[in-house]
Amino acid sequence: MKFFTKIFLLTILITTCTFGQSTIIANIPNRVCTSLDGYWQVLVDPFENGYYDYRYMPRNDGFFKNQKPKNRWEHIEYDFDKSFTLHVPGDWNTQKPELFFYQGTVWYKKSFDFIAQSGKRYFLSFGACNYKAIVYLNGNKIGEHEGGFTPFGFDITGKLFAKDNFVVVKVDNRVSLETIPMVNTDWWNYGGITRSVAIITTSETYIHDYSLQLKKGSQHEVSGWVKISDASAGISVNVRIPELQIETEAKTGTDGIAQIRFNGNFSLWSPENPKLYDVVLQTGNEVLHEQIGFRTIETAGTNILLNGNKIYLRGISIHEEAPMRTGRAYCEEDAEILLRWAKDLGCNFVRLAHYPHNENMVRAADKLGLLVWSEIPVYWTIQWENKATLANAVTQLTDMITRDKNRAAVILWSVSNETPLSEPRLNFLNTLVNKARELDNTRLITAALERHYANDTTQLIDDPLGKFLDVLGCNEYIGWYDGLPAKADNMQWKTVYDKPHIISEFGGEALYGFHSDTLTAWSEESQAYLYEHQLAMLQKVPFISGMSPWILMDFRSPRRQLPGMQDYFNRKGLISEKGEKKMAFYTLQKFYKDLHSKLLQR
Ligand code: GCB
């Protein structure tokens, strides 16, 4: 090989290999952020020609180079700057009719100027891209990420120019039999840079992550840690809560982690009192603010105890589907609308199905006083014996907990939804349960399970996974997939577990504005009737500590095809995608309001 060829290949190797590990920095909303949201230029690339050459080998001069012809003869067969744009954050499916059903690669490009200062560090941070993202800065790969609903970021210190930087992201929304989730889901596989993108500026040594929560079993003692970016011992970390005149200081160990302990006379966070304290964290000259609520969550037999008091979870399930405009929800306004509807319904609890929702949602729940069930998309049929699939699930679980572990609203981490019984599945899910406990021993671990018929009139919950969970979720569709609504009337419920149970789903479809009798499918009357029978049945079951019926708002799903009724919407919402409340909304609202006032009278 000629000397110059060797140098050339070496250069390619270096430029394609010098990319870093993805990292999640805690508390992005309170950091110094330069937003890259807005319109990005895009190239739709169904055959991935911008990535592979004609022999299907990765190209060194792919679309990520954002090349321009240097003379009149050079023919470069793409041009970001002449292509159309898509809004970031946002899915591509609802922004361009041609992309409605599209599954494949779209390249995004954003150009920007940036004055970097010495003594600072810079991170390129993404709220989420669905499903797989490869990120390039100024023509060089800086990292990649798999998983459509979790945040990621890369250290780009020293890689920015004062002028004409460009970020290119290859986003591929295809999922496969091996991925989490796999190909078969009852929701739209919205592709794109679906959450915000920003450059985060930090000090050279910065607060990377922290956990500040009440110690299990105590309503006064906070037991937590702060991790700084340098793994060096003896660095001071200061934590203050000015409102309570609390100030404490600790030094990092050799792992860069400072253990934090202090006592406080907290006004405990609850749905009735969603009190958040301004917490100030400081190391060196970096000061970071955070809003944290303090509360305890435990179980006792079949009861759930919030701050030591028995609580019934008056819930509703929610997909991350935008109210009023359809498509993926991402902003504070979307979160406000959805969660205010839940409040109006009389809820104190929401199940954020079936994947981690955007951070605005969880932060809004913290402010509005809604308890949260948060889950990862281990949904239906997963490759239980595939080690890479398990590793992927563990990463998604870890990233969900990493982002949201300081939110008082979150009380339940869910590891799966409606998964079929088998030994490999049990091992897989038990690994996730153990991982969740290792990362966060203050919250409860759950999963949405299935029940089965012990006989014609008895539902039995005996899934062996129940042994490892703190709370058992249970989905059932009596009156929709399973007989007529009145079938609920004589149904008994049994469980083998002395633990709290939540009916994590029940429901049926209705098209807003379609009226008929109670036994005509898709009528508002039939949905309300189904709710009446379900609620009459469920309120008699002593071990049930709450419910999150399916679902707050109609949502897009390719499985739901019936013209005139569904038109690619799962119609089990209590509210239409346009914000219209169906009759069943009021049925559940009355039940929750009566239940709440009964509990208040006791
Ligand atoms: C379920 C699933 C949920 C579906 C729902 C339905 O059991 O957990 O994702 O959308 O049923 O509508 O069939």
Side-chain angles (χ1 to χ4, degrees):
M1 212 187 308
K2 287 215 176 86
F3 176 72
F4 286 113
T5 322
K6 273 190 194 161
I7 296 285
F8 176 68
L9 289 178
L10 198 68
T11 317
I12 288 170
L13 200 72
I14 291 169
T15 46
T16 48
C17 292
T18 50
F19 53 87
Q21 278 290 312
S22 159
T23 184
I24 299 179
I25 301 177
N27 190 7
I28 297 288
N30 285 301
R31 304 259 178 185
V32 179
C33 292
T34 306
S35 174
L36 294 184
D37 289 352
Y39 285 93
W40 290 48
Q41 271 119 1
V42 303
L43 301 167
V44 181
D45 187 15
F47 294 167
E48 298 180 289
N49 293 132
Y51 191 80
Y52 295 110
D53 66 14
Y54 81 122
R55 297 280 184 226
Y56 210 59
M57 296 298 288
R59 289 170 55 174
N60 304 317
D61 62 345
F63 288 179
F64 49 87
K65 289 287 180 198
N66 185 28
Q67 282 176 312
K68 303 280 174 203
K70 285 183 250 4
N71 54 51
R72 278 190 297 143
W73 174 243
E74 201 179 353
H75 33 276
I76 291 172
E77 297 183 69
Y78 69 92
D79 188 345
F80 275 109
D81 297 313
K82 290 187 179 145
S83 70
F84 68 93
T85 58
L86 287 175
H87 192 264
V88 170
D91 62 82
W92 63 58
N93 314 70
T94 57
Q95 294 191 55
K96 271 248 157 222
E98 303 90 298
L99 297 179
F100 187 60
F101 289 104
Y102 183 69
Q103 306 214 62
T105 283
V106 172
W107 295 83
Y108 285 71
K109 196 263 308 176
K110 180 92 174 166
S111 298
F112 60 95
D113 299 336
F114 194 90
I115 310 285
Q117 294 164 12
S118 61
K120 297 278 180 205
R121 286 173 81 167
Y122 299 96
F123 295 87
L124 182 59
S125 140
F126 293 80
C129 292
N130 189 38
Y131 170 81
K132 188 169 177 194
I134 309 181
V135 183
Y136 306 84
L137 176 64
N138 297 328
N140 301 316
K141 179 171 173 179
I142 55 168
E144 56 183 71
H145 181 264
E146 184 174 347
F149 303 97
T150 40
F152 58 97
F154 307 102
D155 191 341
I156 53 167
T157 314
K159 295 181 180 158
L160 288 160
F161 307 135
K163 279 204 124 352
D164 301 331
N165 296 280
F166 58 96
V167 178
V168 172
V169 188
K170 176 185 184 293
V171 185
D172 187 346
N173 71 334
R174 282 170 303 175
V175 279
S176 69
L177 296 176
E178 291 96 54
T179 55
I180 304 282
M182 52 87 83
V183 284
N184 190 24
T185 59
D186 189 18
W187 69 80
W188 210 266
N189 184 24
Y190 291 118
I193 305 181
T194 48
R195 297 182 189 163
S196 288
V197 187
I199 296 174
I200 312 299
T201 305
T202 69
S203 303
E204 205 144 356
T205 299
Y206 67 96
I207 294 165
H208 184 80
D209 195 8
Y210 50 87
S211 166
L212 295 171
Q213 298 284 286
L214 284 173
K215 189 176 163 187
K216 210 170 179 66
S218 170
Q219 298 196 347
H220 300 281
E221 193 187 343
V222 169
S223 156
W225 50 266
V226 176
K227 182 176 187 308
I228 61 158
S229 50
D230 294 344
S232 37
I235 296 180
S236 289
V237 175
N238 183 282
V239 176
R240 305 187 283 279
I241 306 183
E243 192 179 335
L244 296 173
Q245 283 100 44
I246 290 171
E247 173 154 12
T248 182
E249 188 141 319
K251 294 239 188 286
T252 54
T254 46
D255 50 3
I257 296 178
Q259 300 298 331
I260 307 290
R261 301 228 184 300
F262 58 87
N263 281 297
N265 196 8
F266 301 107
S267 168
L268 296 176
W269 187 100
S270 71
E272 292 74 33
N273 177 44
K275 169 73 191 160
L276 300 177
Y277 289 96
D278 182 39
V279 178
V280 189
L281 299 100
Q282 184 166 358
T283 186
N285 56 5
E286 186 172 76
V287 178
L288 184 63
H289 286 258
E290 174 62 292
Q291 300 73 44
I292 301 186
F294 298 94
R295 53 104 193 93
T296 61
I297 191 79
E298 301 151 280
T299 66
T302 60
N303 293 321
I304 297 177
L305 308 181
L306 178 70
N307 300 327
N309 304 316
K310 183 175 157 181
I311 186 168
Y312 191 92
L313 301 177
R314 306 185 308 274
I316 192 73
S317 297
I318 305 182
H319 256 297
E320 194 186 46
E321 185 98 8
M324 320 309 270
R325 64 179 149 79
T326 75
R328 269 272 165 267
Y330 54 78
C331 56
E332 283 178 33
E333 294 72 39
D334 292 338
E336 276 273 321
I337 296 174
L338 292 167
L339 296 182
R340 290 218 178 268
W341 280 341
K343 292 286 272 187
D344 183 22
L345 189 57
C347 293
N348 59 6
F349 169 61
V350 288
R351 175 182 178 207
L352 301 184
H354 278 302
Y355 37 74
H357 286 212
N358 67 83
E359 193 167 354
N360 291 315
M361 209 48 188
V362 195
R363 286 195 178 255
D366 243 9
K367 285 190 203 136
L368 293 172
L370 282 159
L371 297 157
V372 168
W373 158 317
S374 189
E375 73 189 66
I376 50 168
V378 174
Y379 181 88
W380 285 353
T381 309
I382 294 292
Q383 288 196 345
W384 307 116
E385 291 176 85
N386 184 331
K387 289 202 172 68
T389 306
L390 176 60
N392 184 351
V394 168
T395 304
Q396 294 195 35
L397 179 79
T398 306
D399 292 353
M400 169 176 77
I401 296 176
T402 301
R403 195 193 69 183
D404 291 340
K405 63 185 170 309
N406 289 304
R407 305 280 72 81
V410 179
I411 52 166
L412 288 156
W413 300 125
S414 171
V415 296
S416 62
N417 179 75
E418 286 182 356
T419 51
L421 305 190
S422 77
E423 199 58 34
R425 168 261 194 186
L426 191 61
N427 296 336
F428 186 110
L429 295 182
N430 194 20
T431 306
L432 296 181
V433 170
N434 289 336
K435 185 70 191 175
R437 284 228 170 81
E438 172 200 318
L439 292 169
D440 178 5
N441 71 354
T442 70
R443 291 181 175 78
L444 307 174
I445 316 295
T446 192
L449 310 174
E450 292 175 317
R451 85 298 179 220
H452 62 89
Y453 278 86
N455 58 46
D456 281 357
T457 54
T458 308
Q459 303 286 318
L460 180 64
I461 301 171
D462 61 355
D463 185 325
L465 184 65
K467 208 169 121 199
F468 308 118
L469 302 174
D470 300 309
V471 173
L472 285 88
C474 175
N475 295 355
E476 53 98 357
Y477 279 91
I478 297 169
W480 184 253
Y481 298 120
D482 180 5
L484 294 174
K487 189 172 178 184
D489 298 353
N490 301 316
M491 204 57 75
Q492 305 297 310
W493 283 78
K494 286 208 168 116
T495 178
V496 299
Y497 298 105
D498 181 30
K499 296 185 180 189
H501 292 59
I502 297 172
I503 298 297
S504 34
E505 288 179 30
F506 73 82
E509 300 208 9
L511 177 68
Y512 172 79
F514 173 56
H515 292 283
S516 186
D517 61 289
T518 53
L519 291 180
T520 299
W522 280 288
S523 70
E524 283 196 48
E525 286 76 3
S526 71
Q527 191 190 34
Y529 178 72
L530 183 152
Y531 268 72
E532 280 161 23
H533 288 267
Q534 277 281 345
L535 297 171
M537 168 181 74
L538 295 175
Q539 65 181 305
K540 288 188 272 187
V541 187
F543 56 81
I544 292 180
S545 290
M547 57 174 84
S548 50
W550 195 251
I551 184 168
L552 182 67
M553 191 185 79
D554 291 349
F555 61 97
R556 279 225 169 86
S557 167
R559 299 171 69 83
R560 311 296 170 176
Q561 307 225 350
L562 186 65
M565 287 299 169
Q566 296 179 306
D567 301 307
Y568 295 115
F569 277 94
N570 182 318
R571 295 273 176 218
K572 294 191 188 71
L574 297 177
I575 303 180
S576 78
E577 77 282 8
K578 298 193 185 80
E580 300 138 329
K581 292 178 175 139
K582 305 179 194 173
M583 288 169 68
F585 180 94
Y586 300 102
T587 312
L588 185 61
Q589 185 188 53
K590 182 169 181 326
F591 175 77
Y592 279 164
K593 295 214 157 145
D594 290 352
L595 193 71
H596 190 44
S597 37
K598 256 188 250 158
L599 289 177
L600 288 180
Q601 280 157 22
R602 280 203 311 207

